[in-house]
Amino acid sequence: MRTKNIRSTAISDKLAIALFIFAMAFFIPEELYAQIGWEDPGPAATTLYYGSFSCATGADTIYYNQGGYNQPFYKYTISTKTSLQLASNPYYGPANGAAIAWDGADYLYSTYGATGSNFSRYTISTNTWTSMTAAP
């Protein structure tokens, strides 16, 4: 009697799932995206690099950074498919591992990434950045 190798089955299942996700991401016709409610958001205002981050603040706005140690910071409005360049973070340009989070009100908090411990806060209503106590 031949026994089934459980480990090879698990690996082949994972491979099948990975191939399915790849196919879904790259080979779905645009018509299908429209049927499920997805649409082309249009191009970003700039080339995005490693370390770029983004954060949604409600149903119509996404804030994002260029990444790659560059400082440009943008607000993207989904309904109009437009980007507006905002005040750049004067303290650093984000790198690998950079992140941003919204507090649900008027602030976005950003970390530098890479090996840095820089931490800053963006105030949405005034379009300004403030340096915060370094992250541990």
Side-chain angles (χ1 to χ4, degrees), residues 26-83:
F26 294 101
F27 300 111
I28 296 177
E30 285 187 37
E31 300 82 30
L32 183 56
Y33 282 119
Q35 290 174 10
I36 59 176
W38 290 12
E39 59 182 78
D40 181 0
T46 186
T47 300
L48 301 178
Y49 298 101
Y50 56 90
S52 64
F53 54 64
S54 63
C55 180
T57 57
D60 197 42
T61 306
I62 299 172
Y63 290 86
Y64 67 96
N65 188 281
Q66 184 176 8
Y69 299 97
N70 297 300
Q71 294 175 319
F73 186 61
Y74 299 89
K75 174 184 175 182
Y76 178 77
T77 305
I78 297 168
S79 60
T80 61
K81 297 183 180 181
T82 56
S83 290

